[in-house]
Amino acid sequence: MRGKSVRLWLMSTVLLGTVILFGWYIRSHPEHITQLRTLEPKWIIFILLANVGGIAALTGLYQVLVRLVDVRLQATENILLTVYSSVANFFGPLQSGPGVRAAYLKAKYDLPVKRYVLVTLIAYAAYAVLSAFCMLVGTRPWWQTLLAVAGAACLSVLVIRALTRRRAAGVSRLNLTAPLLIGVLLCTALQILFITIRYYLSLRASGTEVSLGQALSYTGAANFALFVSVTPDGIGIREAFLLFSQNIHGVSTPDIVAASVVDRATYVLFLGLLFIFALSLHAKERITHIGRGSSTKKALH
């Protein structure tokens, strides 16, 4: 990663692989293109804006996570890493994004993968607890919501303790300060808020009338697909979670299917635009680097 030729080869491979994956996915799911053509432009714009908010919250979360392991990323570097890990999350099995980030941090900052895994578990715990809260708070009594949150919190603690039992030294080296932990919670809450808006808009765009409470429950149920996702963007997995929880959020099967198609169609478009944005950032950095090099040469002469 530190060698110029290795970085160039790796960048080219990632770019080519991403383009191929996008092409394969669109060819395998032509219904997404058809759906985009039939959607009113306003829905596409609104959903894209919700995705922008979500990726901004995710960028903030990732910056907080690396602070927990005493690593500081430049803003552009963090944005690019968020973009590439988001693409990996969509196409890769079992949410491959954290693996991409862990490999990058190991190569560039010599950060042990296990330490980044530990802080990722903290973020997943916050995600699970808040998703459990959302799943029930919109449509169920308060005591059921409280039990679900307590259950998710206890399960998260048990999982983290089981996975960190032999890594006590790694845990002790984490920068687990109150401001950073609060930062993880707030960024995760913002991320889920924008996901809720995204799903609500997708449901409305597909012609489904839902309340905000239903949208919260729908989001909470869908979010748990993250932990068992083995298909691109959890295709089939997310729908299964939503079908099993129909008695909670009250969205019918046809509406779930229609909204899922709208959501994925717009998200594929968003990832494509995000990837183009990442390429522009690379180009800007390259131009800036060349400009600095020219200025240095002139100064020397």
Side-chain angles (χ1 to χ4, degrees):
M1 290 286 287
R2 292 188 178 92
K4 186 181 293 185
S5 60
V6 175
R7 287 201 303 270
L8 180 61
W9 175 85
L10 185 60
M11 184 188 301
S12 302
T13 302
V14 170
L15 295 179
L16 179 62
T18 304
V19 170
I20 292 173
L21 284 171
F22 268 119
W24 165 81
Y25 185 84
I26 291 173
R27 184 176 180 181
S28 303
H29 301 83
E31 69 273 12
H32 291 348
I33 302 300
T34 304
Q35 185 66 51
L36 283 176
R37 288 173 179 169
T38 59
L39 274 182
E40 290 184 48
K42 68 175 184 179
W43 291 119
I44 297 176
I45 293 171
F46 290 157
I47 296 172
L48 288 178
L49 289 174
N51 281 318
V52 170
I55 206 72
L58 197 57
T59 302
L61 174 63
Y62 288 155
Q63 190 66 270
V64 175
L65 291 184
V66 295
R67 290 285 302 278
L68 288 172
V69 289
D70 293 319
V71 173
R72 291 180 180 271
L73 299 179
Q74 295 181 357
T76 302
E77 182 182 19
N78 188 37
I79 292 171
L80 287 171
L81 195 50
T82 301
V83 171
Y84 292 132
S85 60
S86 297
V87 172
N89 263 347
F90 186 90
F91 292 111
L94 297 175
Q95 297 294 314
S96 306
V100 171
R101 297 182 63 82
Y104 176 85
L105 294 170
K106 170 65 177 175
K108 185 168 183 181
Y109 296 97
D110 198 27
L111 177 70
V113 172
K114 291 180 180 179
R115 289 188 68 197
Y116 191 72
V117 168
L118 293 179
V119 296
T120 301
L121 288 175
I122 293 173
Y124 277 175
Y127 192 84
V129 171
L130 290 174
S131 294
F133 174 78
C134 289
M135 185 170 66
L136 296 180
V137 72
T139 59
R140 292 298 179 183
W142 67 268
W143 61 269
Q144 292 184 9
T145 303
L146 186 62
L147 285 176
V149 169
C154 291
L155 183 59
S156 299
V157 170
L158 289 174
V159 170
I160 292 175
R161 288 190 64 181
L163 293 175
T164 59
R165 189 170 296 163
R166 299 181 180 179
R167 301 167 187 168
V171 175
S172 65
R173 290 197 297 268
L174 297 180
N175 188 20
L176 298 176
T177 62
L180 291 179
L181 292 176
I182 292 172
V184 170
L185 194 63
L186 289 178
C187 288
T188 304
L190 275 176
Q191 180 193 4
I192 292 177
L193 171 63
F194 283 112
I195 292 174
T196 302
I197 295 171
R198 164 185 155 187
Y199 287 160
Y200 175 76
L201 291 171
S202 296
L203 286 163
R204 292 295 306 277
S206 63
T208 305
E209 292 291 336
V210 292
S211 66
L212 290 178
Q214 283 181 289
L216 270 175
S217 296
Y218 185 96
T219 301
N223 284 352
F224 280 102
L226 172 118
F227 301 103
V228 291
S229 181
V230 293
T231 58
D233 198 32
I235 293 177
I237 308 298
R238 185 204 299 171
E239 286 74 14
F241 272 83
L242 288 169
L243 289 174
F244 287 137
S245 59
Q246 272 184 303
N247 62 328
I248 298 176
H249 55 70
V251 180
S252 68
T253 300
D255 290 337
I256 290 172
V257 174
S260 293
V261 174
V262 170
D263 177 66
R264 288 201 173 88
T266 50
Y267 195 65
V268 168
L269 174 61
F270 174 71
L271 285 181
L273 295 174
L274 201 62
F275 191 65
I276 293 172
F277 173 70
L279 292 180
S280 69
L281 284 182
H282 277 302
K284 182 179 179 181
E285 280 197 330
R286 181 64 179 166
I287 292 170
T288 303
H289 179 73
I290 293 172
R292 287 175 180 173
S294 300
S295 300
T296 303
K297 288 180 180 179
K298 288 179 181 179
L300 289 173
H301 287 291

